Amino acid sequence: MEQSRRKVLKAGAALAVTAGLPVRAARAQQNVVKIGMSMPQTGSLGAGGQAALVALRLWVDDVNAKGGLLNRKVEFIAYDDQTNPANVPGIYTKLLDVDKVDLIIAPYGTVPTAPLMPMAKQRNLLVMGNFSFQVNAKVKHDMWFNNAPWNDASSWSDGFFANGKRVGAKSVAFLAADQEFAQNLANGARALAKKDGLKTVYDQNYPPTTTDFSSLIRAIRASKPDMVFVMSYPNDSVAIVRAVNEIGVGSGVKMFGGGMVGLQFTPNMVNLGSLLNGIVNYNSYVPGMKYPGIEDFLARYSKRAVEAKVDPLGFYLPPFNYAIGQMLEQAIRAVNSFEHGKIAQYLHGNEMKTVVGPIKYGKDGEWANPRVVQAQFRGIKDKDMDQWRRPGKQVVLFPEQYKTGDLVQPFEKARG
Amino acid sequence: MRFWIPAMVVVLVAAGVALSPVNEYFFYASYIVLTFVVLATAWNILGGYAGYVNFGTAAFFGIGSYTATVLFKWLGAPLVVQIAAAAAVSGLLGFGVGMLTLRLRGIFFAIATVAVIFIMETLMINWRYVGGATGLQLLRPEVMAPFESYTRMLFVVMAAMAVGAVALARWVQVSWIGRGLRALRDSEEAAECAGVPTLKLKLFACTLSGALMGAAGAPMPMYLSFIEPVSSFNLTWSVNALAASMIGGTIHWLGPVIGAVILGTLQQVVTVTISSEVNVLVVGVLLVLFVVAAPEGVLGLLQRWIRFFK
Amino acid sequence: MFFSWDLLFEALMFGVLLGCFYAAVSIGLSVSFGLLDVPHVAHPAVMVLGSYCTYLLASYGWDPLVAGTVLMAPFFVLGMLIYRFYYETFEKRGTEAGVRGLAFFFGVAFIIEVGLIMVFGVDQRTVNAPYIGDSLRLGDYRIPHRMIVAFGVALVLTFTLSAYLSKTFTGRAIKAVAQDEPALRLMGANPVRIKQWAFGIATAASALAGAMLIIVGPVEPAIDRLYIGRTFAIVVLAGLGSMTGTLAAGLILGIAESIVLMFFGASWAPAVAFGILLLVLGVRPQGLFGR
């Protein structure tokens, strides 16, 4: 008898404790609109995420200074997923069911965003994407809007391969992390390389936790490629740059880089310094590119970033995160509602004005007109943050409308 | 009957709660607590009854998750089939691991089971069909009436599984199998001399334990709508199963249940109020505390207090 | 996969350096588990703790190797305290408690790991030194300096410890207590004090190993899980209690991992250590040089 009673009592106790949990949830929502997200603030993407958060918080303050959205003050909630996709479902479930947020923004990066997509589709939620790559390709959610200046693989790798062909490159080596971003990009790039008639002499995936790239770089060197297309996340990108410096990639390589995330984060740029010279890599914005209002934004951002002890330059993510806020603002004001379906309809059918220029969406929720830049690092000195503000340190090779110079090759010579 | 009536009550209460307007997050959190109940109960069959401390829970749990994923992706199989297949595959793995390692003593057995985890994880990382290290996004099928959401249905499924696991553990405990396991826990050589078929019993315990852990892993991919190897094979599953049993008490089937409920609930509360990595601190500290100060677990403490007050 | 003799030779060279590093990392476990029979699953976690302490000192400008050597003293004391606690709580009470001792160290490993996450976060940490980042050029081959440094320190550590155990009085007492405790007691030495001392030495070795770990590559709190496999594989392959065996086993593991990495890809490398472990446990549990 004591066993059965104990069992029922236990079940009841567990029920009571956990049912009483969400006490903070049911509060009057009339005066406040809650926007919630998970943002990688530590881990591989952490440095970028922290900078992005400063920009988002700047937008929230700007909007609230104007009276809020539809006369409701914006309350912003952000948790840290540590760049670990396993943390994401739990965080967004908490945001939706415990914090009861009205709108969600995706975490920065493809890898943390991947687990969110099925949940968003199943619960019919509007998601503002944050610099992820093709993360909606399989789920095909129709209320997804990415803030990144690329759409598919060719928008990314066209610039890289075009430069290679111009200097007579015939073969390519692929090195990609085994994670959502790099694999999405690698699948696209491989097909494009074949179409272009390039010969693939090396093609390896590595587990995302790899820290020592000496063997991989050695193997790449042995395969004697003309171009090396690397698709990596910040921790690996830094390790690869260091390994290339230690081991060397061979005198025949004309171009190295392409899809290395993290070489756009200011802390990495400053720490790696001259090791970056010669690498051709993608970017979203480099000083000198003319977007309306961007210089003013960067100045205001810089002040807040210095206070928060975070990346003071803010070139890569912050302007595009501020743009997320601007897009939400325009859409919500236009449809006069917070209903996800209505906002999505507006975003699909209109062009929004933002601090990174006009943004128009294709049917898949990616930009209709991509604007990915491929730039070569030149003349970088060690331990100098201010050099990055001056144009000329990242020479834009592609696209034509922003081009500021030609490729210097071979890669080993450009590193000199 | 003394067992089955309250057991049925638990399942009915769970179903009732799932149909009531309780906050959605409750089901999300309770699912994990119920998973711990199954894992701890399964662990205890080999670890508590037979005394073979097994660190490999994560291997069986992860393989269960991946088996379910493969069946779902390949055949669109319903949840029940996924669970059955996961139990079968993990049971087989348990049998294989048992054949390989049950001749080893103490710490060697434990380390061998850790090795199994990493080998299974590496195999899944290298298998592109299930997503490799990248992982897979999974879209749940439409939920059946009368349940409002898929998570609520999973909650009831897991509650039923917990009752089933406990029933099996109880049956093992009171049967001749349990007696044999206890004998070999106390002294394997003496048991063998007395004619107990120790290897067969150990293999049985290992297989059953593995099968239950695999079954517990099967609904996880649907629960998260996502699967990837690092979290599926995380050593934290192992330490939680082990800690829950040691905290609750290892000699009786009630121990793992008590331990899992206490540990799981505490962790879920901490996740919502503080952060999720303090969970691991909670497990580590409680495990060390109980192992040092209260080796018989909560059950042992309760026994002592009852005797004290009599 | 792509094969060439050049690549094989480079893989072998790198494997030798890596193997010696792994041996140095496992030497502490060879003493604590191999000789003293303590189920020290927390050994890699203590080593990672050493890495982070090195990182802290390095952020004040210390050279990491110097930091590692200096840390050996406090870690020695820490080791003695841990053993004392383990002995009083578990070993004294017989084999049933031994199983719980295993669970205890498992819990301690997790506590250390989470403690590091709460203090330092999950980010990777590295140190800088003049010998990190450059490599030695021998013709077409390049050997990173950091590997050479780790190799050198590993050799010094292994041979010093080996000599200590066979030439000094305390050293031989430690080996004796592993082989025949009652006999040692009869000779008037206190086995508990000797085991405590030995465990202290093992932990001090872990501190230096931790410094080497962060010199060789970036560390993060969860890295101890990967090293459980490597260290135990080496100690078991060596045979419990053999110091030079540890070096040999380390070389085998290092070369095996390096070759798998080069020719089968980086996604299979983590399984090499655990595969070797299972193989040894299944086929020859007493290891190569075991007692």
Side-chain angles (χ1 to χ4, degrees):
Chain A
M1 273 311 117
E2 68 175 72
Q3 288 159 316
S4 61
R5 214 185 305 147
R6 235 189 271 164
K7 236 177 154 10
V8 178
L9 269 173
K10 240 183 302 106
L15 228 81
V17 169
T18 33
L21 252 185
V23 256
R24 312 178 298 176
R27 207 192 287 124
Q29 307 257 311
Q30 281 82 3
N31 302 327
V32 159
V33 58
K34 292 193 192 170
I35 302 185
M37 71 184 296
S38 164
M39 178 72 97
Q41 297 166 55
T42 53
S44 205
L45 296 174
Q50 288 181 29
L53 262 185
V54 171
L56 280 168
R57 294 211 164 101
L58 178 60
W59 172 77
V60 169
D61 289 347
D62 284 352
V63 154
N64 283 338
K66 289 188 253 174
L69 285 173
L70 304 185
N71 285 321
R72 282 156 64 155
K73 280 247 173 295
V74 174
E75 187 183 314
F76 182 66
I77 305 173
Y79 294 114
D80 181 7
D81 58 45
Q82 305 175 333
T83 319
N84 186 353
N87 290 337
V88 168
I91 289 179
Y92 278 92
T93 310
K94 185 157 82 153
L95 283 168
L96 291 162
D97 297 326
V98 175
D99 297 312
K100 302 256 196 241
V101 297
D102 299 290
L103 293 162
I104 56 171
I105 300 177
Y108 157 49
T110 316
V111 167
T113 306
L116 173 62
M117 298 312 294
M119 187 195 293
K121 184 164 179 171
Q122 277 151 193
R123 291 177 76 149
N124 230 359
L125 301 165
L126 170 75
V127 183
M128 300 304 292
N130 203 341
F131 261 50
S132 12
F133 180 74
Q134 288 293 306
V135 77
N136 192 29
K138 293 177 218 107
V139 172
K140 298 207 204 323
H141 183 38
D142 59 1
M143 295 206 282
W144 154 263
F145 300 95
N146 197 359
N147 70 345
W150 49 74
N151 45 26
D152 62 8
S154 73
S155 67
W156 197 299
S157 52
D158 273 353
F160 193 78
F161 288 149
N163 269 287
K165 296 224 338 234
R166 213 179 298 167
V167 295
K170 298 224 177 9
S171 60
V172 64
F174 290 114
L175 182 64
D178 192 355
Q179 34 98 318
E180 185 86 19
F181 158 73
Q183 289 304 304
N184 285 347
L185 184 53
N187 288 332
R190 283 187 196 114
L192 289 164
K194 219 198 273 181
K195 214 173 54 146
D196 267 352
L198 293 165
K199 183 167 144 183
T200 305
V201 294
Y202 179 91
D203 189 351
Q204 269 294 299
N205 294 332
Y206 60 87
T209 47
T210 307
T211 50
D212 191 5
F213 289 89
S214 341
S215 309
L216 293 168
I217 298 295
R218 261 189 222 107
I220 291 178
R221 194 178 76 212
S223 64
K224 300 206 199 328
D226 290 329
M227 295 189 281
V228 182
F229 196 17
V230 181
M231 292 151 275
S232 53
Y233 252 25
N235 283 344
D236 347 332
S237 303
V238 170
I240 290 173
V241 171
R242 289 189 196 276
V244 164
N245 185 55
E246 255 186 5
I247 307 283
V249 80
S251 46
V253 171
K254 300 189 201 298
M255 281 176 67
F256 185 96
M260 300 174 77
V261 183
L263 300 187
Q264 308 81 5
F265 295 173
T266 305
N268 291 338
M269 283 153 60
V270 171
N271 284 332
L272 290 173
S274 56
L275 298 183
L276 288 169
N277 279 325
I279 294 180
V280 177
N281 204 23
Y282 81 97
N283 213 325
S284 60
Y285 168 80
V286 301
M289 286 170 76
K290 298 277 174 245
Y291 291 146
I294 190 144
E295 259 130 53
D296 172 66
F297 164 77
L298 287 176
R300 285 196 302 142
Y301 162 87
S302 201
K303 255 190 261 144
R304 309 253 303 213
V306 168
E307 275 165 17
K309 298 219 189 61
V310 160
D311 170 8
L313 298 177
F315 292 155
Y316 180 56
L317 282 169
F320 291 82
N321 271 259
Y322 192 83
I324 292 180
Q326 290 182 306
M327 286 195 281
L328 275 177
E329 200 180 330
Q330 285 171 47
I332 289 173
R333 292 228 169 92
V335 302
N336 203 29
S337 146
F338 292 109
E339 231 182 283
H340 290 201
K342 291 205 183 134
I343 300 176
Q345 210 178 12
Y346 180 85
L347 290 171
H348 265 306
N350 294 275
E351 184 177 270
M352 271 85 40
K353 296 195 185 350
T354 72
V355 85
V356 293
I359 299 181
K360 195 148 109 80
Y361 282 107
K363 272 226 310 225
D364 56 356
E366 308 288 336
W367 284 23
N369 306 309
R371 238 186 280 146
V372 180
V373 158
Q374 289 280 349
Q376 185 171 36
F377 292 101
R378 299 240 200 103
I380 313 292
K381 299 204 182 5
D382 289 331
K383 298 199 199 313
D384 179 356
M385 167 112 60
D386 285 318
Q387 69 184 330
W388 296 101
R389 294 186 204 270
R390 305 190 288 274
K393 294 297 171 185
Q394 296 185 68
V395 175
V396 178
L397 308 172
F398 185 94
E400 281 300 322
Q401 71 216 87
Y402 297 114
K403 185 165 163 182
T404 56
D406 280 317
L407 173 72
V408 169
Q409 57 95 7
F411 172 61
E412 296 274 335
K413 177 163 146 231
R415 297 187 63 221
Chain B
M1 272 306 114
R2 265 171 51 180
F3 170 79
W4 284 107
I5 293 180
M8 285 301 122
V9 167
V10 168
V11 180
L12 286 172
V13 167
V17 172
L19 297 172
S20 77
V22 169
N23 184 294
E24 190 77 17
Y25 196 76
F26 167 75
F27 299 102
Y28 190 77
S30 308
Y31 174 87
I32 296 289
V33 178
L34 290 168
T35 304
F36 280 1
V37 170
V38 178
L39 287 178
T41 305
W43 184 90
N44 202 40
I45 294 176
L46 186 64
Y49 297 166
Y52 271 77
V53 172
N54 164 23
F55 286 175
T57 309
F60 304 106
F61 182 80
I63 288 295
S65 292
Y66 272 92
T67 307
T69 304
V70 168
L71 250 68
F72 178 70
K73 189 173 171 191
W74 178 30
L75 300 170
L79 190 62
V80 176
V81 173
Q82 291 175 30
I83 294 178
V89 172
S90 285
L92 208 63
L93 180 67
F95 184 78
V97 170
M99 291 291 313
L100 201 64
T101 61
L102 282 171
R103 277 169 293 144
L104 306 167
R105 64 171 173 98
I107 181 176
F108 291 106
F109 174 71
I111 295 296
T113 55
V114 174
V116 173
I117 297 178
F118 280 85
I119 291 180
M120 289 297 126
E121 185 182 340
T122 305
L123 285 174
M124 292 301 112
I125 284 179
N126 283 292
W127 194 13
R128 289 244 66 89
Y129 184 72
V130 292
T134 301
L136 273 185
Q137 294 160 319
L138 300 160
L139 282 170
R140 297 165 170 171
E142 282 305 316
V143 66
M144 300 186 305
F147 294 110
E148 218 177 272
S149 81
Y150 207 88
T151 313
R152 286 166 187 253
M153 184 193 79
L154 285 180
F155 168 78
V156 175
V157 166
M158 209 33 123
M161 200 192 291
V163 166
V166 171
L168 274 171
R170 174 176 168 272
W171 169 72
V172 168
Q173 186 182 323
V174 305
S175 70
W176 64 272
I177 301 178
R179 276 200 301 265
L181 290 174
R182 275 194 296 278
L184 79 87
R185 180 190 64 201
D186 290 332
S187 165
E188 194 151 340
E189 283 136 354
E192 265 190 31
C193 293
V196 176
T198 54
L199 188 63
K200 285 210 198 112
L201 286 179
K202 287 190 296 187
L203 277 178
F204 175 78
C206 216
T207 310
L208 181 60
S209 182
L212 284 174
M213 291 175 183
M220 273 307 269
M222 289 290 104
Y223 171 72
L224 292 175
S225 301
F226 186 74
I227 187 170
E228 57 95 35
V230 175
S231 56
S232 303
F233 291 98
N234 198 332
L235 216 54
T236 314
W237 294 113
S238 296
V239 81
N240 273 311
L242 186 153
S245 300
M246 298 213 141
I247 290 171
T250 52
I251 48 172
H252 191 277
W253 57 261
L254 205 50
V257 176
I258 295 178
V261 170
I262 293 178
L263 194 61
T265 313
L266 196 55
Q267 288 191 341
Q268 289 304 312
V269 171
V270 162
T271 302
V272 176
T273 51
I274 310 178
S275 77
S276 62
E277 62 246 356
V278 187
N279 281 347
V280 184
L281 191 65
V282 164
V283 164
V285 167
L286 279 179
L287 175 63
V288 169
L289 259 171
F290 271 83
V291 151
V292 165
E296 253 107 73
V298 168
L299 279 183
L301 287 176
L302 282 174
Q303 267 183 341
R304 265 190 263 162
W305 287 344
I306 291 175
R307 244 182 278 143
F308 181 74
F309 282 118
K310 276 222 170 108
Chain C
M1 240 256 92
F2 197 85
F3 179 82
S4 85
W5 289 109
D6 267 342
L7 271 187
L8 181 63
F9 183 67
E10 272 199 273
L12 279 172
M13 253 197 326
F14 195 73
V16 166
L17 295 175
L18 192 66
C20 283
F21 165 65
Y22 285 162
V25 158
S26 316
I27 256 232
L29 192 65
S30 241
V31 173
S32 56
F33 175 54
L35 284 178
L36 303 176
D37 259 339
V38 177
H40 193 10
V41 236
H43 169 259
V46 170
M47 178 181 70
V48 176
L49 182 64
S51 298
Y52 273 90
C53 291
T54 307
Y55 168 77
L56 265 180
L57 289 178
S59 63
Y60 287 110
W62 291 49
D63 174 88
L65 269 185
V66 170
T69 319
V70 165
L71 281 169
M72 285 175 85
F75 269 67
F76 178 81
V77 173
L78 177 67
M80 290 215 288
L81 289 173
I82 296 179
Y83 181 77
R84 196 71 211 208
F85 184 79
Y86 167 78
Y87 176 75
E88 297 294 336
T89 325
F90 300 103
E91 197 167 307
K92 251 192 345 198
R93 304 184 192 163
T95 48
E96 161 69 38
V99 155
R100 281 185 288 115
L102 188 56
F104 165 73
F105 277 109
F106 205 33
V108 166
F110 272 86
I111 293 179
I112 293 180
E113 191 184 304
V114 138
L116 287 174
I117 292 182
M118 292 189 355
V119 172
F120 292 96
V122 296
D123 293 324
Q124 287 181 344
R125 304 285 174 185
T126 54
V127 290
N128 287 315
Y131 42 84
I132 301 178
D134 266 324
S135 50
L136 187 67
R137 289 169 205 226
L138 297 174
D140 237 0
Y141 305 118
R142 310 258 212 117
I143 311 175
H145 284 161
R146 58 192 162 89
M147 295 306 298
I148 300 179
V149 166
F151 175 72
V153 173
L155 285 180
V156 167
L157 189 61
T158 313
F159 283 119
T160 313
L161 208 53
S162 202
Y164 178 81
L165 287 174
S166 37
K167 303 276 191 317
T168 66
F169 178 75
T170 345
R172 276 181 293 177
I174 293 174
K175 279 175 61 170
V177 86
Q179 286 173 2
D180 196 342
E181 189 166 320
L184 189 73
R185 228 187 273 264
L186 286 175
M187 288 177 61
N190 182 346
V192 179
R193 296 259 318 264
I194 293 180
K195 289 208 254 189
Q196 204 176 284
W197 186 267
F199 202 85
I201 294 181
T203 314
S206 298
L208 192 58
M212 276 191 285
L213 187 65
I214 197 171
I215 288 176
V216 162
V219 300
E220 38 124 15
I223 205 176
D224 66 317
R225 300 182 184 195
L226 199 56
Y227 276 86
I228 291 181
R230 291 184 176 140
T231 50
F232 274 91
I234 289 175
V235 169
V236 167
L237 178 58
L240 300 183
S242 167
M243 294 300 119
T244 38
T246 310
L247 195 57
L251 282 170
I252 294 177
L253 179 62
I255 293 175
E257 254 194 43
S258 193
I259 293 190
V260 167
L261 195 70
M262 187 69 90
F263 296 109
F264 293 100
S267 48
W268 288 105
V272 172
F274 289 104
I276 289 184
L277 180 63
L278 277 183
L279 202 65
V280 173
L281 283 177
V283 167
R284 196 188 149 93
Q286 66 269 42
L288 294 172
F289 305 89
R291 56 188 160 104

